[in-house]
Amino acid sequence: MVLIYVLGALSVLVPAVLIPVLATTRWVPAALASRAAERLRVAVAGLTEAVGRIGAALVVLLAGSAAVVTVCWPLGEALSRLEPSVDSAVFDYVHARRVDGWADINSFVTAIGDRYPLKWVTVVAAVGFAIAWRHRRWWIPLIALPLQFVVEQYTQQILAVTVNRGHPPTDVGTYPSGGCARVMLTFGIIAVLAGLTWNIPRRGRIAIATALAVLVSVEGYTRIYAEKHWFTDVLGGWVFGTLLLSVLVLTVLVAEGRVRPPRRAAGAVPVEVAATA
């Protein structure tokens, strides 16, 4: 019984400690300066030159969403094989130790990942950021926020149908956990738009990222305790949400014109010339 409450506390404490610790390392600057990131900037610059910012953003969105499905489909098939040994065991353990009061709290908290309340969050945030961006490309937040909601819904449904792993006996939640993904995408895009709107200091950005990680982690815990999802559905939802958020963030940055080609050193040979030399 105590273990369930400990895991609930850890769902808050682990991301609350992990994100600030990771923020002190150099993995983010290293990733941004990596060869893969440089090639991505070159490709986006080429796309933008060929079809414009909006066209390039659309290509990024469609290609990125397809890539997310390509990655998460086999992941879902692999996780499905863990159902007898992992998911059923976790479900039985939680079900045998459910406490009505704690179950009511978890059912209330987990509703934050439902589509209905997040629709209102999306609408209010989209209008608010459109007003804040009235002297710049105001239409970007007005499109980006509803778009993330729609993209998540249909991409998640594609994966649910293709993997078709079923659901716990107590609910119809299936792979991947849409609640976890929706929380990550909705509040993740809001956080990115906030960063593009205001000059938030580094500590503020770390605090926002930490709050988002805690929210997503708690959503996963409550989905399991409320018996809405198998344990591996939540793991899949975290991976799915992270990948799709990355795609949507890149889409917004391309549309905003924030992704620029890397600067060439003086006398450097252009990539096309070097490739044909």
Side-chain angles (χ1 to χ4, degrees), residues 109-205:
V109 173
T110 201
I112 194 174
D114 292 346
R115 286 195 170 93
Y116 181 77
L118 287 180
K119 282 181 181 178
W120 287 105
V121 173
T122 298
V123 170
V124 171
V127 173
F129 279 111
I131 294 172
W133 285 36
R134 61 187 179 278
H135 298 306
R136 51 198 289 195
R137 300 182 182 101
W138 56 268
W139 48 269
I140 289 181
L142 203 58
I143 293 176
L145 277 158
L147 184 64
Q148 62 81 22
F149 195 90
V150 173
V151 169
E152 184 282 326
Q153 180 175 351
Y154 287 102
T155 309
Q156 192 266 347
Q157 287 179 354
I158 289 171
L159 287 170
V161 171
T162 52
V163 175
N164 192 25
R165 69 162 303 182
H167 52 80
T170 50
D171 209 299
V172 295
T174 188
Y175 170 89
S177 171
C180 294
R182 283 189 293 272
V183 168
M184 184 176 294
L185 286 166
T186 301
F187 293 104
I189 293 297
I190 288 174
V192 169
L193 291 174
L196 294 174
T197 305
W198 300 288
N199 185 21
I200 301 175
R202 185 172 181 273
R203 288 185 179 181
R205 296 195 300 271

Side-chain angles (χ1 to χ4, degrees), residues 46-275:
L47 270 175
T48 303
E49 184 177 352
V51 297
R53 285 185 297 102
I54 306 307
L58 184 59
V59 171
V60 168
L61 176 63
L62 295 176
S65 299
V68 171
V69 172
T70 302
V71 171
C72 291
W73 183 353
L75 174 63
E77 297 291 351
L79 292 176
S80 296
R81 298 177 183 177
L82 300 176
E83 184 176 323
S85 59
V86 175
D87 289 318
S88 295
V90 172
F91 179 87
D92 291 341
Y93 181 87
V94 172
H95 187 74
R97 292 162 178 79
R98 277 172 62 87
V99 177
D100 289 341
W102 189 236
D104 291 340
I105 292 173
N106 278 266
S107 295
F108 176 78
V109 173
T110 201
I112 194 174
D114 292 346
R115 286 195 170 93
Y116 181 77
L118 287 180
K119 282 181 181 178
W120 287 105
V121 173
T122 298
V123 170
V124 171
V127 173
F129 279 111
I131 294 172
W133 285 36
R134 61 187 179 278
H135 298 306
R136 51 198 289 195
R137 300 182 182 101
W138 56 268
W139 48 269
I140 289 181
L142 203 58
I143 293 176
L145 277 158
L147 184 64
Q148 62 81 22
F149 195 90
V150 173
V151 169
E152 184 282 326
Q153 180 175 351
Y154 287 102
T155 309
Q156 192 266 347
Q157 287 179 354
I158 289 171
L159 287 170
V161 171
T162 52
V163 175
N164 192 25
R165 69 162 303 182
H167 52 80
T170 50
D171 209 299
V172 295
T174 188
Y175 170 89
S177 171
C180 294
R182 283 189 293 272
V183 168
M184 184 176 294
L185 286 166
T186 301
F187 293 104
I189 293 297
I190 288 174
V192 169
L193 291 174
L196 294 174
T197 305
W198 300 288
N199 185 21
I200 301 175
R202 185 172 181 273
R203 288 185 179 181
R205 296 195 300 271
I206 294 173
I208 291 172
T210 302
L212 176 62
V214 169
L215 195 60
V216 173
S217 178
V218 169
E219 177 66 17
Y221 173 84
T222 58
R223 290 272 155 171
I224 295 169
Y225 194 87
E227 299 182 337
K228 290 181 174 294
H229 278 286
W230 295 121
F231 171 69
T232 54
D233 289 342
V234 169
L235 296 182
W238 287 340
V239 174
F240 168 65
T242 301
L243 294 177
L244 198 56
L245 177 61
S246 301
V247 170
L248 285 161
V249 168
L250 181 58
T251 300
V252 170
L253 294 178
V254 171
E256 172 69 356
R258 295 298 183 105
V259 181
R260 296 181 176 87
R263 297 175 181 175
R264 295 193 187 99
V269 180
V271 175
E272 308 83 46
V273 176

